[in-house]
Amino acid sequence: QVQLVESGGGLVQAGGSLRLSCAASGNIFSSNIMGWYRQAPGKPRELVAIISDTSITNYADSVKGRFTISRDNAKNTIYLQMNTLKPEDTAVYYCRISSPRQNAWGRGTQVTVSS
């Protein structure tokens, strides 16, 4: 019922920047937490950053100071500004929405950071 579509991934050199977007559509419960997760080959999916409906945020230690999550509630869209990218940031990045009534994942967008 809820659909998430990520965009903005690509190939970038170390030290560069990318901005990811995730647009949610469907019957979206207003009180929700949305976030970005990533999964590198051979590794489990891990949390990158989350943001509440009131814009309270949390970040993984590995991205603090480099990544910024934000949201536009009117557009049901979240963003991830990724600066000072490192090769270890290479992964498929997934968008997630969670509320008492919904838990959905996007299909993911590939981010590749070259040395």
Side-chain angles (χ1 to χ4, degrees), residues 17-75:
S17 299
L18 287 172
R19 191 173 90 141
L20 307 183
S21 299
C22 172
S25 61
N27 188 18
I28 301 166
F29 192 65
S30 60
S31 181
N32 64 72
I33 295 171
M34 296 185 71
W36 292 97
Y37 297 73
R38 66 187 182 186
Q39 187 168 22
K43 292 195 172 186
R45 190 171 298 185
E46 65 177 359
L47 183 145
V48 176
I50 55 173
I51 184 166
S52 74
D53 55 295
T54 56
S55 295
I56 305 300
T57 60
N58 280 286
Y59 297 88
D61 287 343
S62 59
V63 306
K64 285 180 179 177
R66 299 189 298 120
F67 292 8
T68 302
I69 188 170
S70 60
R71 69 187 294 161
D72 185 334
N73 289 338
K75 293 184 170 68

Side-chain angles (χ1 to χ4, degrees), residues 3 15 21 97 112:
Q3 297 175 239
S21 299
I97 185 167
T112 303

Side-chain angles (χ1 to χ4, degrees), residues 92-114:
V92 177
Y93 284 70
Y94 297 92
C95 181
R96 183 187 183 230
I97 185 167
S98 180
S99 77
R101 294 190 172 275
Q102 58 201 192
N103 183 9
W105 294 89
R107 289 179 55 85
T109 185
Q110 177 71 48
V111 172
T112 303
V113 184
S114 62

